[in-house]
Amino acid sequence: MKMKISSVETHKCTHTYRFEQRELERLALEKVATELGLDLTHSCLKAESRIVPNSQGINPTLYECEIRIEESLDCKE
């Protein structure tokens, strides 16, 4: 039996990133603000973020990032 063997060489570059909790919260906050069209530098905005465990079991291994942006509608800039 004669086998035909072919090989394909591929080149890969793998990028791995790790974010600390504060950085994840900041990135999530920026994404939400962008989606809402808000500029976080305005003094009329008060923004908060926090990581919360998704405790649907005894030992939760999933976490969620909660974003809260409060916009004062009476504020003039």
Side-chain angles (χ1 to χ4, degrees):
M1 174 181 220
K2 192 171 186 180
M3 297 175 92
K4 182 178 180 182
I5 300 174
S6 64
S7 299
V8 176
E9 181 178 328
T10 61
H11 297 274
K12 295 181 182 179
C13 184
T14 303
H15 302 277
T16 304
Y17 300 91
R18 282 193 181 215
F19 296 98
E20 293 180 355
Q21 179 177 331
R22 291 268 101 204
E23 184 68 7
L24 285 172
E25 290 179 47
R26 184 189 66 75
L27 290 170
L29 179 60
E30 287 177 1
K31 179 159 180 65
V32 171
T34 300
E35 288 291 320
L36 295 173
L38 299 173
D39 183 355
L40 292 173
T41 61
H42 288 168
S43 61
C44 294
L45 297 177
K46 179 181 166 191
E48 298 173 4
S49 61
R50 66 185 183 122
I51 302 289
V52 248
N54 185 349
S55 56
Q56 294 183 5
I58 296 172
N59 187 13
T61 56
L62 296 174
Y63 295 87
E64 298 172 346
C65 185
E66 180 179 281
I67 302 296
R68 177 184 167 116
I69 300 176
E70 190 175 292
E71 182 178 9
S72 174
L73 301 176
D74 295 331
C75 182
K76 294 180 183 177
E77 278 198 40

